[in-house]
Amino acid sequence: MTHVVTPQARPSLLQAFLRSEALGGYVLMAAALAALIIANSPAAPVYFNVLETKVGFQAGPVVLRETVLHWINDGLMAVFFLLVGLEIKREVLDGQLRGTARIVLPGIAAVGGMAVPALIYVAINLGSPDTLRGWAIPAATDIAFALGILALLGSRVPTSLKIFLTALAILDDLGAIVIIALFYTSQLKMFALLMAGALLGCLFCLNRAGVLRLTPYLLIGALLWYFVLKSGVHATLAGVALALTIPLRPRNAGKPDAHSPLHDLEHALHKPVALLIVPIFGFANAGVSFAGMGLASLAQPVPMGVALGLFLGKQLGVFGFSWLAIKSGIASLPRHATFTQLYGVAMLCGIGFTMSLFIGALAFTDAATVDATKIGVLTGSLASAVMGFVLLRMGAATRREDAAH
């Protein structure tokens, strides 16, 4: 008798995405922990000195000389934002965010998850006008960390909730991008801004002309990053702008090997961003010295506003807005999920590590306030991760007991 070996089904793009993001979350956790250990060890002076060392190059009239930390936050993170932009475009046009029905619940949850944390931060910092600029810090969700925690729970959490969290985090990133563009832009330089606009126009013309090779887009994108950097608009937004021009239509349409430039670039960037760029960012930005700090440090307006915004604001905003949408009939509860599990996922949304640290670096320039922001982000994110994990694990156990009865 002849046995036919059936090839294993290839994982879907979403499954591959979830696995990649979970692995990236573990690497990011390790990088953040390493930064904290080094920043509180005898090696701390070396760590901080390296980050403040200026490096750069000159090519004709182009001169770029910045600190290592600046290169990481404005250079490497532009690639991170390029990937975010590609994911947003793909999900809206051809994924989980395509169509009104799919976007309703995560969209409403994302609005609540941005608004309530910001209001909590503002309420705590009303008496300190200088720190109100940090209102957007607790409004972000770190998808890598959150999905990393979900991965630890395995099948205890239904796939529908993982999809919900992914969609919510992508919309959350979109909101953060808009916030950065509108509220964290320095004084504009018109010549550089006009050049950036012209280059963006060229990119859209390439798209409309049906150019499907990535090389022209990436070369023009590099120039776009330089002029956006010089314009006063934050340089990472060049990555998002470039992503929106990358074609989604496939090459060799109608053939088995059909694939689009957007999918090619997204797949090429996923692992380097998740396993290298984001961990490097975390390692460079999570390091804060706890010397001389106590509980009184956490009670200051900035760390308290950030920590409570992430821990309380996210769970209240995400779950509260979701509950109202479901109970009013506007949306439905994710398939095979309970309200307890939805609340646990809402707690995980309080992990705001990467984007929260990034916005904090934009909001404040003095070292003391930046360190206070880091303390708030680390505290709020850690509390959200632990409590979310515990609640989801308990919720899964309760559901199994109910099924047994």
Side-chain angles (χ1 to χ4, degrees):
M1 180 176 178
T2 303
H3 296 279
V4 178
V5 179
T6 305
Q8 290 185 340
R10 292 183 63 188
S12 69
L13 182 61
L14 180 62
Q15 289 173 328
F17 170 75
L18 290 174
R19 284 204 297 268
S20 173
E21 289 292 327
L23 178 59
Y26 301 145
V27 178
L28 179 56
M29 292 177 203
L33 180 60
L36 285 172
I37 292 172
I38 293 173
N40 291 277
S41 75
V46 176
Y47 170 81
F48 290 112
N49 286 338
V50 168
L51 291 177
E52 292 304 318
T53 300
K54 285 200 170 187
V55 295
F57 64 88
Q58 180 173 353
V62 178
V63 180
L64 278 177
R65 187 171 178 81
E66 302 290 349
T67 64
V68 171
L69 183 61
H70 194 279
W71 277 111
I72 292 170
N73 290 353
D74 282 17
L76 285 182
M77 287 301 283
V79 182
F80 167 78
F81 275 87
L82 169 59
L83 179 59
V84 169
L86 292 171
E87 289 172 348
I88 291 171
K89 181 175 180 177
R90 172 179 54 78
E91 291 292 347
V92 169
L93 298 180
D94 192 33
Q96 295 300 321
L97 302 182
R98 184 180 181 182
T100 305
R102 293 181 177 183
I103 204 173
V104 170
L105 185 62
I108 292 173
V111 171
M114 287 185 282
V116 177
L119 290 173
I120 288 177
Y121 181 92
V122 169
I124 292 174
N125 284 267
L126 273 178
S128 180
D130 292 340
T131 62
L132 281 176
R133 183 171 167 78
W135 62 270
I137 296 171
T141 295
D142 192 304
I143 187 172
F145 255 129
L147 287 174
I149 299 298
L150 280 186
L152 293 174
L153 292 160
S155 60
R156 295 183 182 91
V157 179
T159 302
S160 62
L161 276 181
K162 297 176 183 178
I163 294 172
F164 166 77
L165 176 59
T166 302
L168 188 157
I170 289 172
L171 291 170
D172 203 297
D173 283 343
L174 179 59
I177 289 165
V178 173
I179 288 170
I180 291 169
L182 295 179
F183 300 101
Y184 295 102
T185 293
S186 58
Q187 187 174 358
L188 297 177
K189 297 177 182 177
M190 291 311 299
F191 173 75
L193 194 61
L194 288 172
M195 289 297 296
L199 290 168
L200 187 58
C202 290
L203 288 167
F204 276 108
C205 287
L206 287 176
N207 183 298
R208 298 299 296 172
V211 176
L212 298 180
R213 291 184 59 197
L214 280 171
T215 303
Y217 292 96
L218 297 179
L219 290 175
I220 295 175
L223 289 174
L224 176 65
W225 174 85
Y226 172 77
F227 283 108
V228 171
L229 175 69
K230 295 298 183 181
S231 72
V233 177
H234 200 270
T236 51
L237 296 180
V240 180
L242 172 60
L244 297 180
T245 67
I246 303 297
L248 182 61
R249 56 184 176 276
R251 307 183 188 95
N252 305 319
K255 296 182 179 180
D257 62 343
H259 52 283
S260 75
L262 188 147
H263 285 100
D264 287 345
L265 185 57
E266 185 181 356
H267 281 291
L269 290 177
H270 242 128
K271 285 186 178 179
V273 168
L275 303 180
L276 186 64
I277 290 177
V278 172
I280 288 175
F281 171 84
F283 181 76
N285 287 272
V288 56
S289 174
F290 297 128
M293 292 186 182
L295 292 178
S297 300
L298 184 59
Q300 297 301 311
V302 170
M304 182 64 71
V306 172
L308 290 182
L310 287 171
F311 181 64
L312 289 180
K314 277 292 184 180
Q315 58 179 282
L316 293 176
V318 171
F319 182 77
F321 277 54
S322 298
W323 186 86
L324 289 173
I326 293 168
K327 290 299 182 179
S328 64
I330 298 174
S332 57
L333 188 67
R335 192 178 181 185
H336 303 309
T338 66
F339 275 108
T340 300
Q341 291 174 318
L342 182 63
Y343 190 63
V345 169
M347 276 190 168
L348 291 185
C349 289
I351 306 172
F353 191 80
T354 304
M355 197 68 81
S356 292
L357 288 176
F358 186 79
I359 294 175
L362 296 180
F364 304 117
T365 55
D366 62 292
T369 310
V370 171
D371 281 350
T373 299
K374 292 177 181 179
I375 293 170
V377 171
L378 292 171
T379 303
S381 297
L382 180 61
S384 298
V386 172
M387 294 302 295
F389 177 83
V390 170
L391 185 60
L392 286 168
R393 190 176 179 86
M394 289 174 58
T398 302
R399 184 167 180 169
R400 284 198 301 271
E401 288 176 7
D402 291 343
H405 290 297

